[in-house]
Amino acid sequence: MTRMYVWAVANQKGGVGKTTTAVTLGGLLAAAGRRTLLVDLDPQGSMTSYFRFNPDAVEGSLYSLFEAQAEGSVPPDTGQLLLDAGVQNLSLLPASTAMATLDRQLGARDGMGLVVARALARLQHRFDYVLMDCPPMLGVLMVNALAACQQLLVPVQTEFLALKGLERMLRTIQMIGRARGGVPPYTIVPTFFDRRTRASTDALRALRDQYGDHLWPRVIPVDTQFREASKSGLPLPVFNPQARGNEAYGSLLRWLQAQDTPMAEAVSQ
Ligand SMILES: Nc1ncnc2c1ncn2[C@@H]1O[C@H](COP(=O)(O)OP(=O)(O)OP(=O)(O)O)[C@@H](O)[C@H]1O
Ligand SMILES: [Mg+2]
């Protein structure tokens, strides 16, 4: 029986650690022997660039699937679009810069919200986990991610302004949730935590007061090794297994896995 877990990482606010969260969790899963697919849904292609591919020059991306949907033509084989991320068990479905035009060109047509869900369904024998990295804006790509995911991670920087951005993101989740017939389970992940700063501790307290139910009870610390890992093109768990950021993401991973009931089990209960 196949059980593929599909998780999305999203927040409309930029620079909160979305790409880092997807790449680090992906690195941990791959190191644990899970066949893992990272999906870059951000037209800026940060995740694609992370693994040393050029979003201006990739041969194929999700763009071609949206195009096929719009034209009513047969979509290309999604398996053909996958790239080797250079780490055992880790594959990448890259972004291309052309994806920035999707909303304007094709966004409003029928069936556009389920392109990613359908593409992933065709890959479910090949992967154990899929992690999708969303752009910091609401559009057809984020709508697709929220429609396709079983769990949603919302990284939020532990500082006051980021909390405002979180409110906006939560409204988006509710709105899209209504359209897909239910809000996906979501987990708020405090990032860039620095316990020596007042900004971090105050923001964490506010998060606990307001969003306790949906808040992961721990934090991702500030760790300069994340940036070093990105320069090397490797997920942090592969670049430096001893870095403390790994321990935090490892704990997050176990917590998420404990939340997840595979679909087959949920049905038989
Ligand atoms: N916990 C952390 N400690 C220190 N630096 C971090 C941490 N998490 C991420 N970074 C660094 O901060 C920068 C922004 O992180 P990242 O790209 O993951 O954010 P993002 O939310 O994906 O941004 P965008 O909205 O632009 O897509 C990167 O240079 C990354 O290496
Ligand atoms: Mg990003």
Side-chain angles (χ1 to χ4, degrees):
M1 187 186 334
T2 340
R3 288 174 187 161
M4 184 173 77
Y5 295 97
V6 182
W7 298 347
V9 185
N11 191 336
Q12 276 151 281
K13 186 155 172 25
V16 297
K18 294 180 291 293
T19 302
T20 302
T21 296
V23 169
T24 309
L25 291 174
L28 288 167
L29 285 163
R34 307 287 178 208
R35 297 167 303 164
T36 305
L37 174 63
L38 294 173
V39 180
D40 193 352
L41 290 178
D42 185 350
Q44 296 217 31
S46 308
M47 191 152 83
T48 301
S49 307
Y50 192 114
F51 292 103
R52 301 289 181 270
F53 296 102
N54 180 355
D56 286 320
V58 287
E59 295 253 322
S61 76
L62 283 169
Y63 183 83
S64 50
L65 300 182
F66 283 93
E67 208 175 32
Q69 172 72 32
E71 289 168 356
S73 56
V74 179
D77 176 3
T78 316
Q80 299 283 329
L81 304 174
L82 304 184
L83 300 174
D84 180 347
V87 171
Q88 203 181 2
N89 299 318
L90 200 59
S91 301
L92 173 71
L93 183 46
S96 62
T97 343
M99 283 159 55
T101 64
L102 279 177
D103 278 293
R104 194 160 28 91
Q105 289 189 336
L106 315 169
R109 304 207 194 170
D110 279 355
M112 281 299 167
L114 291 174
V115 171
V116 172
R118 290 196 192 112
L120 294 181
R122 294 192 292 270
L123 291 175
Q124 59 180 316
H125 296 282
R126 292 185 57 175
F127 295 101
D128 302 308
Y129 281 87
V130 177
L131 293 169
M132 294 182 280
D133 183 25
C134 292
M137 70 200 88
L138 173 58
V140 70
L141 290 160
M142 195 190 289
V143 169
N144 266 268
L146 296 199
C149 73
Q150 296 149 11
Q151 282 212 64
L152 174 63
L153 304 182
V154 185
V156 60
Q157 204 166 339
T158 41
E159 53 117 43
F160 183 70
L161 280 179
L163 302 190
K164 287 272 155 217
L166 178 60
E167 283 169 29
R168 201 152 57 99
M169 184 62 211
L170 296 180
R171 281 198 297 275
T172 299
I173 296 174
Q174 300 299 335
M175 186 183 78
I176 298 180
R178 280 196 293 275
R180 72 166 237 174
V183 173
Y186 64 91
T187 300
I188 298 166
V189 179
T191 55
F192 290 88
F193 186 75
D194 181 351
R195 65 189 160 81
R196 294 163 306 179
T197 69
R198 195 61 204 278
S200 269
T201 51
D202 282 357
L204 186 61
R205 192 169 312 118
L207 283 172
R208 286 190 174 142
D209 289 347
Q210 281 182 56
Y211 307 107
D213 292 351
H214 286 281
L215 189 69
W216 176 50
R218 291 190 55 192
V219 293
I220 303 296
V222 171
D223 185 346
T224 54
Q225 289 290 297
F226 285 114
R227 195 164 279 132
E228 295 307 314
S230 74
K231 282 189 218 154
S232 79
L234 294 170
L236 185 58
V238 180
F239 173 70
N240 178 0
Q242 314 308 331
R244 65 197 182 120
N246 292 321
E247 197 275 324
Y249 274 110
S251 160
L252 173 63
L253 178 58
R254 287 189 295 278
W255 196 84
L256 293 167
Q257 286 172 324
Q259 310 287 307
D260 239 333
T261 313
M263 264 174 196
E265 281 180 28
V267 171
S268 62
Q269 269 167 11

